[in-house]
Amino acid sequence: MSTTTLGRRRQADSWLPYPDTDAGVRLYCLPHAGGSASAFRPWIGHLPGVAVRPVQPPGRDTRLGDAPHTDMAALTAELAEVILADAEDRPYAVYGHSLGALVAFEVLRTIDRIGGPGPAHLLISGCRAPHLPASGTGVRLERDMSQDRIVAWLRGLGGTPEAFLSDPRALAMILAPIRADLVVKNSYRYDPAPPLEVPITALASTDDPQADAASVGAWRELTVGRCATHTLPGGHFAVFEQAEATLQIIHRALRP
């Protein structure tokens, strides 16, 4: 194995921390702001014919020593390279939740620009379509916001255990990546371009303060392929709280 190939393999291993099941379609799963690959770990082994590949951004969990990205272009360029190297010539799809959906979208546009093989499907959840005007609802978080305000925001969204939010050491571990991810999100500007040639599945939830069903449904305008929209009961993290329903939707979207 050449030094270059070995370096790429190590890079991929840091981004993809869980063992490869090597089953059929590879599904790269990108987490929400401050989130980690562990959010998708329970999905591994529960999608027949699909190798769930949770993505670990730098600055959290197994990559605490790595500086988190604060620039969308740099983040998506590196991640596009990782996905293409790991997928090789096998079919793949990309799933992103919340900020992860924006990152997934830009990764696909990066892959298209560099002429890489495109995915079989894009799946997103908990995220307004990026071409829509900024919403007047919800909370805009800034990098320099106080810890108390960020904690209040996390409590409002749900999905983060109270024991975690009340533990100063645990909280300290997630604040840095959250602040970095906020820079990525707040500095992001949608650049108009031809729509994707990839089918999209978009998941909304009934009580998500960040993305209502109409704004999630607008992802249909970003592809010339088919777009299916599903709405689950619940809040911003309904796709994880109702994992069985979510996995059924994913299975139907990815089956041949």
Side-chain angles (χ1 to χ4, degrees):
M1 183 180 293
S2 70
T3 302
T4 300
T5 301
L6 182 59
R8 288 176 177 170
R9 182 70 266 167
R10 287 175 176 168
Q11 179 191 39
D13 287 345
S14 67
W15 281 92
L16 304 167
Y18 299 120
D20 184 3
T21 59
D22 202 27
V25 177
R26 309 172 84 67
L27 178 62
Y28 299 96
C29 299
L30 283 58
H32 53 282
S36 70
S38 61
F40 299 99
R41 187 173 188 177
W43 294 8
I44 296 174
H46 293 281
L47 279 169
V50 176
V52 175
R53 302 289 276 151
V55 170
Q56 189 76 285
R60 59 212 82 192
D61 279 8
T62 56
R63 303 186 66 189
L64 277 175
D66 298 337
H69 278 285
T70 55
D71 178 74
M72 178 69 85
L75 169 59
T76 55
E78 184 176 353
L79 189 48
E81 182 178 325
V82 167
I83 288 175
L84 291 177
D86 185 73
E88 296 179 321
D89 58 352
R90 293 167 290 195
Y92 71 95
V94 183
Y95 182 108
H97 180 67
S98 196
L99 175 62
L102 289 181
V103 175
F105 175 67
E106 290 299 333
V107 165
L108 265 56
R109 299 218 291 184
T110 298
I111 289 173
D112 183 63
R113 282 195 297 271
I114 65 177
H121 213 100
L122 169 64
L123 303 100
I124 69 91
S125 58
C127 183
R128 293 167 51 84
H131 65 296
L132 296 179
S135 170
T137 62
V139 177
R140 178 180 170 88
L141 293 176
E142 302 293 346
R143 184 180 191 178
D144 59 355
M145 286 176 60
S146 70
Q147 174 176 308
D148 288 346
R149 192 170 178 198
I150 292 178
V151 169
W153 172 68
L154 291 172
R155 283 198 177 103
L157 284 182
T160 305
E162 182 60 34
F164 201 91
L165 295 176
S166 301
D167 182 338
R169 288 191 300 177
L171 193 57
M173 288 193 298
I174 66 170
L175 282 178
I178 285 177
R179 292 186 189 281
D181 287 349
L182 291 176
V183 175
V184 172
K185 182 177 185 296
N186 291 340
S187 62
Y188 174 74
R189 298 293 181 271
Y190 171 75
D191 182 19
L196 299 173
E197 298 183 6
V198 176
I200 295 177
T201 294
L203 288 81
S205 51
T206 55
D207 301 305
D208 187 346
Q210 300 293 308
D212 61 23
S215 66
V216 173
W219 280 87
R220 71 174 64 89
E221 300 167 21
L222 298 177
T223 181
V224 296
R226 69 184 187 279
C227 181
T229 304
H230 304 269
T231 302
L232 298 173
H236 190 61
F237 293 100
V239 291
F240 300 109
E241 294 161 354
Q242 301 184 54
E244 183 176 351
T246 302
L247 292 173
Q248 288 176 356
I249 292 169
I250 295 172
H251 177 65
R252 289 196 297 269
L254 298 183
R255 66 187 176 189

